[in-house]
Amino acid sequence: MATETVKNVLEALSSLYSSTNRQTNREASRWLESFQKKPEAWGVADYLLKLKESNYETRLFAAQTFKQKITYDLRELDVEARLQLRDSLIELAWQSSQSEKAVMIQLCLAVSLLAIQLLQWKTVIADLVNKFGHSNSQGLICLLEILKILPEEMNGNTKLPLTDVEYKLRGEELIDNSAKEVLNLLTMYMQSSGNNIELQEQIFKCLTSWIRTGEIDMTLLRTSPLLELAFKALESSDLFDVAVDLVSEIIYETRDIIESQAIIPHIYPYFTPLLAKLTTAIDEQDEDEIRGYCRIFVEASEAYMNLIGAHPDSFGILLEGILKCTSYHEDLADIVPMTFKFWYELTNMLETETYSHQKPHFVAYYDRLVDIMLGHLQYPDDEGTMTAEERDDFRDFRHKMGDTLKDCCRLLGSQACLLKPMNRLTTLLSDSNATWQQIEAPIFSLRVMGSEVPADEDQVMPHIMEFLSRLPTHPKIRYAATLVISRYSFWTQMHPQFITYQLNFISSGFVNDEVAAASALALKHLCKDCSQHLIDFVPQLHLFYLNVVKTLPFRDVLEVTEAVSYVMTELPYTKTEEALQLFCLPVAQDLHQLVSKGKDQVTQEEGIKIGDLLEQVSVFFQIIRPDNIPTGQPHPCVTFISELWPVLDTVLSNFGDQPTVSEPLSKCFNNFMSSYGSDFVPLLPSLMERIVNAFDATGLSGYLWVALRMIREYGKGGAAAAPCFELVQRLSQSMFIKLQSSQVNDIPDVIEDYFRLITAFLDTIPSTMPNDDKLAALLSTVFQAGLVGLTVTEKHALVAVLGFYRRLVSFGQAVNGLFKEFGQQLTIVLFDGLIDVYHQDVIPDVAALFKSLAELLPAEATSWMMQVVNQVPDDYMTVEIKTDFMNNWTAAIHEQHWIKIRRILSDFIATYRRRNANKVRR
């Protein structure tokens, strides 16, 4: 044992636990983590655990070190050393069971992890029982801890270096073939446990873990005393939580009602007393017990849903229990939502042909469910004291309840569900003491049920629409009522007689700041769904629009602009330009007035206003797409855009270097192309020129975004294909200059948009890739620029660069020369990024690129990888690991197991990163 090493470990532990200096704590923690990855950590951990003078923190660290080493570094020990380690760990675990539980748990983990990987150890359960099974209760608790952990790690630990064959074989040996023996052991220990609560708790935890594996034959529980004892333990406050876990697991594992038909009749009778206990817990407001009982009822209702559907009368206890859970009003955020999945799945099942005839048996339950939901939807009386987070959480919860109300509509029918809030509102309006919270809740319910109401419903909906005008003018109520109109715009489309009334209702809401946002949304939906019915309202909409946009918040202005645009789309194409003159020209004039001042004369607020006005203009051209324009006729929107060019030119020249302006301006340009396609081609050359000059002058990524849209829209064939290639060439020249003068991590958005542009350009090239000198020169330069781009650390930018290379390599032999020329540099850059820099999420993309590269150039890819791996210092990765990696890599390429290449590389990088997490490689 190296005394100096032990001394360093003890000093680091002392610094970690005794120093009050945070920097000292961090440095000590990093040093200790690094030490755990060294081969000498095995001996030091063993020494410290056996050293009588070791304090608790030292022993805990040593035990954790064993767990870490066994998980990641067991290959450092030969079979004989592993067997010695097994014997030592078992003895240490037994000793720790008599004193320090945390140390014992870490050692139990270590024993379990070793048992899984030590394939030569064939008698694991028997050896552990011989060591611990005849000792005192603490020794039994240690044994039960190992037995509990063993199936958890076997089924859940993906870090262990076992092959699929080894994993399957070990699972059969340790779990499948041992399940019955373990069940018998637990039964024996429970029967002899007396009043030892700690031992009983550990037995229940162990049983839960083994049941969760799915290897316990549940029919054996039918005759086992453990089933009754599990339900009886719910009466013990000390055992309640573990009993809830165990009972829930038993129920879940008997969800296959055919396979479990022998045991379910033995389980179901326990629910009658459980319902009584749930009722008592609710009366006594014992939330812990309520939560536990509700979890059991939910688990049972979901597991035995088919039985409930087939025999609702026989399984009514479960329905009553879950309804009681759903109705619990004191914990809306936790207990009530756990029932929602059941109601959704039950509704789906009752709509199937097999169970639909049983619907009448469930009407009463769903009828009560609607009433429960209506009660829960109500805001608290002290709503004004809620924090912003509490209010957001409650809103989210209301929408989840809305989904359950939709389930009720599906089973009861929309009319029955709509009548309930309608009748409740009628009663509330006759009560002078009714609060806004009581009135708003049923209104909200009407809104959330909208998706289940047919557009031709004409029995209840007309009365609801008329009823809205009788509601109080309280802003919260008015807001909710306006959103009802918004939600039912699809219904109004088939009932246009309500349009005038709804327009008046909506427009009156704009005068109230608390209602204006709902009014803007409602107007948008009404105009979108009822646009054909609103053509005659254009004059009124024009006056309304010009007035209301002056006072609304910007987001609402965009909603109202969308609204009028939907109506303008329905106008005859001969009227479109005139409508744009009425609605859009005033916005353009306001924009022109501001940008004509020049940058130095515009205030900060006016600068923001310029961007807002451009957003507003872009909305018009995003939505307005008139149909049936005769061939040869100029497109009215393109004609209007031509008139806007001088204004947009002024924006570009005076404010094009401002991101708050360039982004909405780019959005305008993109909408021009996406909305008008080939009709916009005459204006394309001038737009290309503007985009090239703007990017050259500003370097802002928004202009690359516009170029990307051009390539996608016009790059494939046609008259615009050649100009698109020239566009890419000119933008690339500017980009290369910027890469020489900028750090890539300072311009990640530019990197991302440029390489997405190049990838889109590659998509326009035929798969055979023409032999063109200009194209070859461009791709060679872009390839080299990509090598610089691959050093960017921002994830989305990096993914874009990788996307370019993955698209390029897909051309196969046509790009063979490029990859031969620069493939070694590419491998170096990618490998350096993988081991030191790249985000974890990017590793699969890099591995996929290496796979494609190996398919294209197998010999070269092998040579390049060997060179970079050999450059890794031995103190960062051992020669043995590097050799194993290269052997596996070479074999996979030789055998053409291309998919395997990705896994081999990903595993190697994961190992490297874990071993060197605290190092900086020079």
Side-chain angles (χ1 to χ4, degrees):
M1 176 57 55
T3 307
E4 187 66 26
T5 303
V6 172
K7 179 183 176 184
N8 291 338
V9 170
L10 292 174
E11 287 177 354
L13 285 167
S14 177
S15 297
L16 180 64
Y17 289 106
S18 303
S19 176
T20 57
N21 185 296
R22 295 182 67 181
Q23 181 61 28
T24 301
N25 294 151
R26 283 194 293 269
E27 290 175 359
S29 178
R30 281 197 293 267
W31 188 91
L32 289 167
E33 287 177 13
S34 179
F35 167 76
Q36 286 180 321
K37 298 162 186 172
K38 296 179 179 179
E40 57 263 38
W42 293 107
V44 172
D46 186 64
Y47 175 81
L48 292 175
L49 275 169
K50 293 175 179 176
L51 185 67
K52 291 183 178 180
E53 293 78 14
S54 291
N55 60 20
Y56 167 74
E57 289 81 7
T58 301
R59 287 193 293 274
L60 182 61
F61 170 75
Q64 290 170 335
T65 299
F66 271 131
K67 184 192 73 174
Q68 288 289 99
K69 297 295 288 181
I70 291 170
T71 300
Y72 297 107
D73 303 320
L74 194 59
R75 67 165 67 198
E76 293 174 349
L77 304 180
D78 59 25
V79 172
E80 184 178 351
R82 294 180 190 187
L83 292 171
Q84 292 174 355
L85 174 65
R86 174 198 64 185
D87 297 339
S88 178
L89 283 176
I90 290 174
E91 183 63 31
L92 288 168
W94 185 85
Q95 293 173 7
S96 67
S97 70
Q98 311 303 312
S99 54
E100 298 159 337
K101 186 171 183 179
V103 176
M104 179 199 76
I105 290 174
Q106 292 300 312
L107 289 170
C108 290
L109 270 164
V111 171
S112 298
L113 293 168
L114 181 61
I116 293 170
Q117 297 180 78
L118 186 52
L119 306 182
Q120 295 78 9
W121 189 8
K122 300 295 185 181
T123 54
V124 174
I125 304 296
D127 291 348
L128 292 173
V129 171
N130 288 335
K131 175 65 180 178
F132 297 97
H134 307 292
S135 60
N136 57 24
S137 63
Q138 294 305 313
L140 282 180
I141 287 172
C142 183
L143 168 64
L144 292 167
E145 183 67 28
I146 297 174
L147 292 179
K148 177 181 81 72
I149 292 170
L150 196 59
E152 294 172 350
E153 294 298 317
M154 191 74 240
N155 289 331
N157 193 328
T158 59
K159 300 172 184 176
L160 303 180
L162 293 174
T163 66
D164 292 343
V165 173
E166 289 171 339
Y167 176 84
K168 185 176 184 298
L169 178 64
R170 205 58 177 153
E172 291 174 354
E173 291 175 349
L174 294 179
I175 309 300
D176 303 12
N177 300 338
S178 304
K180 187 173 182 180
E181 178 186 356
V182 170
L183 182 62
N184 292 334
L185 277 172
L186 297 179
T187 303
M188 179 181 69
Y189 293 148
M190 179 60 81
Q191 289 174 328
S192 61
S193 64
N195 296 320
N196 190 329
I197 296 295
E198 184 181 8
L199 181 57
Q200 291 170 357
E201 180 181 1
Q202 197 66 27
I203 292 169
F204 281 149
K205 286 182 177 178
C206 185
L207 179 56
T208 301
S209 178
W210 277 80
I211 290 176
R212 192 172 289 133
T213 66
E215 298 306 326
I216 293 281
D217 182 357
M218 298 305 293
T219 58
L220 295 175
L221 282 179
R222 182 180 56 173
T223 55
S224 169
L226 291 174
L227 178 63
E228 181 182 359
L229 290 171
F231 279 92
K232 189 173 179 59
L234 293 167
E235 299 172 8
S236 166
S237 58
D238 294 324
L239 295 173
F240 182 80
D241 290 340
V242 292
V244 168
D245 289 341
L246 176 53
V247 168
S248 298
E249 206 59 50
I250 290 171
I251 292 168
Y252 180 78
E253 287 300 326
T254 55
R255 66 194 182 279
D256 186 331
I257 59 174
I258 303 299
E259 188 179 284
S260 305
Q261 57 184 329
I263 189 173
I264 291 175
H266 293 266
I267 296 174
Y268 185 72
Y270 290 109
F271 289 108
T272 299
L274 283 189
L275 181 59
K277 290 172 184 174
L278 172 60
T279 304
T280 302
I282 291 174
D283 292 340
E284 296 175 355
Q285 295 191 1
D286 187 333
E287 284 204 7
D288 289 335
E289 285 200 5
I290 295 167
R291 187 175 293 105
Y293 288 129
C294 285
R295 181 181 160 197
I296 291 172
F297 270 104
V298 169
E299 195 72 65
S301 299
E302 291 180 0
Y304 307 146
M305 188 174 298
N306 291 81
L307 292 173
I308 294 172
H311 312 285
D313 294 334
S314 300
F315 286 83
I317 291 294
L318 291 181
L319 286 166
E320 289 294 338
I322 202 163
L323 259 181
K324 196 169 283 289
C325 297
T326 308
S327 65
Y328 183 61
H329 202 279
E330 300 303 318
D331 191 352
L332 298 181
D334 187 13
I335 292 175
V336 175
M338 71 170 73
T339 68
F340 292 164
K341 180 186 175 187
F342 165 75
W343 294 113
Y344 172 72
E345 297 289 352
L346 180 63
T347 307
N348 286 344
M349 188 180 73
L350 292 173
E351 288 187 324
T352 64
E353 185 178 346
T354 305
Y355 294 95
S356 59
H357 67 282
Q358 295 282 20
K359 280 186 181 181
H361 295 277
F362 292 88
V363 167
Y365 294 107
Y366 277 85
D367 190 75
R368 289 160 60 190
L369 182 60
V370 175
D371 292 331
I372 290 168
M373 290 294 104
L374 289 176
H376 287 337
L377 286 173
Q378 184 175 315
Y379 270 103
D381 292 337
D382 60 350
E383 180 266 347
T385 64
M386 295 172 76
T387 65
E389 183 179 1
E390 289 172 337
R391 191 173 285 106
D392 288 343
D393 289 344
F394 186 70
R395 285 173 183 157
D396 290 343
F397 175 61
R398 294 216 313 170
H399 285 289
K400 291 175 184 175
M401 285 190 287
D403 291 337
T404 301
L405 276 173
K406 294 172 191 173
D407 298 334
C408 295
C409 286
R410 289 161 57 196
L411 188 121
L412 297 175
S414 59
Q415 289 185 7
C417 289
L418 289 172
L419 279 170
K420 277 186 171 287
M422 179 73 181
N423 293 337
R424 185 171 290 206
L425 283 170
T426 302
T427 302
L428 287 169
L429 290 189
S430 63
D431 181 359
S432 59
N433 295 319
T435 64
W436 74 260
Q437 289 95 331
Q438 292 174 308
I439 297 172
E440 189 270 349
I443 299 173
F444 179 85
S445 75
L446 291 172
R447 172 183 157 202
V448 297
M449 289 189 284
S451 63
E452 301 302 321
V453 177
D456 59 355
E457 204 288 319
D458 58 3
Q459 298 300 308
V460 183
M461 282 305 303
H463 297 291
I464 289 175
M465 286 300 169
E466 293 169 358
F467 192 84
L468 296 179
S469 62
R470 295 167 48 197
L471 293 171
T473 58
H474 188 286
K476 301 282 190 185
I477 296 173
R478 188 77 177 189
Y479 182 94
T482 303
L483 289 181
V484 168
I485 291 177
S486 175
R487 184 64 189 84
Y488 286 92
S489 56
F490 72 93
W491 179 87
T492 306
Q493 196 271 336
M494 292 190 65
H495 300 81
Q497 66 270 29
F498 287 94
I499 286 179
T500 301
Y501 157 70
Q502 290 184 1
L503 278 175
N504 291 332
F505 191 96
I506 291 168
S507 59
S508 64
F510 282 104
V511 300
N512 189 313
D513 291 344
E514 292 186 55
V515 185
S519 294
L521 185 64
L523 184 64
K524 181 180 79 171
H525 287 149
L526 186 67
C527 289
K528 182 178 182 180
D529 287 341
C530 305
S531 54
Q532 292 182 335
H533 299 303
L534 288 166
I535 292 175
D536 293 338
F537 288 83
V538 167
Q540 297 96 306
L541 286 172
H542 172 231
L543 294 174
F544 166 78
Y545 180 74
L546 294 182
N547 288 321
V548 78
V549 295
K550 297 175 183 177
T551 58
L552 289 178
F554 175 61
R555 191 178 75 170
D556 298 337
V557 168
L558 292 184
E559 300 268 32
V560 175
T561 303
E562 283 189 58
V564 297
S565 297
Y566 284 122
V567 179
M568 292 163 68
T569 294
E570 297 298 328
L571 293 170
Y573 81 94
T574 55
K575 300 287 187 181
T576 301
E577 188 173 352
E578 179 186 344
L580 285 167
Q581 298 283 350
L582 289 173
F583 288 89
C584 186
L585 185 58
V587 182
Q589 289 170 337
D590 290 344
L591 176 63
H592 182 258
Q593 186 178 356
L594 284 175
V595 298
S596 297
K597 291 183 178 182
K599 189 187 302 183
D600 296 337
Q601 303 300 315
V602 169
T603 66
Q604 183 178 2
E605 184 178 340
E606 288 175 328
I608 294 172
K609 181 68 174 175
I610 290 171
D612 290 349
L613 290 170
L614 284 166
E615 283 267 12
Q616 208 172 331
V617 169
S618 75
V619 168
F620 285 110
F621 298 104
Q622 177 186 352
I623 294 172
I624 300 174
R625 301 183 182 189
D627 294 327
N628 303 319
I629 301 175
T631 304
Q633 287 290 324
H635 196 294
C637 294
V638 176
T639 302
F640 187 80
I641 290 169
S642 300
E643 298 174 11
L644 283 183
W645 273 128
V647 179
L648 300 179
D649 271 341
T650 306
V651 174
L652 204 53
S653 58
N654 290 353
F655 298 92
D657 60 345
Q658 303 295 310
T660 54
V661 173
S662 70
E663 290 183 14
L665 179 60
S666 297
K667 187 182 291 186
C668 276
F669 292 147
N670 280 347
N671 286 340
F672 294 163
M673 292 181 283
S674 60
S675 291
Y676 310 121
S678 59
D679 290 302
F680 188 75
V681 168
L683 298 180
L684 205 56
S686 59
L687 179 57
M688 286 181 173
E689 190 66 29
R690 286 166 171 82
I691 291 303
V692 169
N693 293 336
F695 179 68
D696 189 49
T698 68
L700 293 176
S701 62
Y703 301 117
L704 294 174
W705 180 40
V706 178
L708 172 61
R709 170 57 64 182
M710 287 182 191
I711 298 301
R712 286 178 175 167
E713 195 74 36
Y714 306 104
K716 280 194 175 182
C724 282
F725 175 59
E726 184 182 348
L727 171 71
V728 172
Q729 279 185 304
R730 295 177 64 188
L731 288 172
S732 295
Q733 290 168 4
S734 294
M735 184 66 188
F736 301 151
I737 293 171
K738 295 182 192 309
L739 282 174
Q740 293 170 8
S741 59
S742 304
Q743 296 292 322
V744 291
N745 285 316
D746 293 336
I747 53 170
D749 55 333
V750 179
I751 296 288
E752 178 181 356
D753 285 333
Y754 174 73
F755 281 97
R756 291 200 188 284
L757 166 65
I758 297 299
T759 304
F761 169 67
L762 291 177
D763 289 339
T764 69
I765 298 174
S767 58
T768 54
M769 188 174 284
N771 185 12
D772 183 282
D773 291 342
K774 289 183 178 179
L775 177 60
L778 173 64
L779 291 180
S780 176
T781 313
V782 174
F783 196 115
Q784 295 172 75
L787 297 175
V788 179
L790 286 172
T791 62
V792 71
T793 55
E794 201 280 323
K795 184 171 72 171
H796 296 96
L798 182 57
V799 168
V801 184
L802 290 169
F804 155 69
Y805 282 111
R806 292 182 67 182
R807 183 67 183 92
L808 185 64
V809 78
S810 70
F811 284 97
Q813 293 302 315
V815 292
N816 205 320
L818 263 180
F819 281 95
K820 278 188 175 180
E821 183 178 359
F822 301 111
Q824 184 171 357
Q825 291 174 257
L826 177 64
T827 303
I828 292 170
V829 174
L830 287 173
F831 192 82
D832 283 348
L834 277 176
I835 62 177
D836 281 338
V837 181
Y838 291 167
H839 190 280
Q840 189 71 29
D841 293 348
V842 177
I843 292 177
D845 289 327
V846 182
L849 177 55
F850 272 120
K851 165 190 165 289
S852 299
L853 195 57
E855 287 185 77
L856 179 65
L857 299 167
E860 291 85 347
T862 303
S863 173
W864 297 332
M865 185 61 75
M866 185 172 294
Q867 291 178 50
V868 295
V869 170
N870 287 338
Q871 292 299 311
V872 177
D874 293 346
D875 58 335
Y876 283 78
M877 193 63 90
T878 65
V879 173
E880 179 189 4
I881 295 176
K882 289 190 288 186
T883 302
D884 281 352
F885 166 70
M886 280 312 307
N887 288 340
N888 292 333
W889 177 268
T890 304
I893 291 177
H894 177 72
E895 296 165 9
Q896 298 186 0
H897 287 169
W898 307 121
I899 299 298
K900 194 175 180 181
I901 285 175
R902 298 171 63 171
R903 182 175 61 80
I904 292 169
L905 180 62
S906 297
D907 290 348
F908 178 76
I909 296 304
T911 302
Y912 178 94
R913 287 191 168 194
R914 192 196 70 79
R915 291 175 64 91
N916 302 288
N918 298 314
K919 294 179 182 178
V920 178
R921 194 161 72 93
R922 300 298 180 190

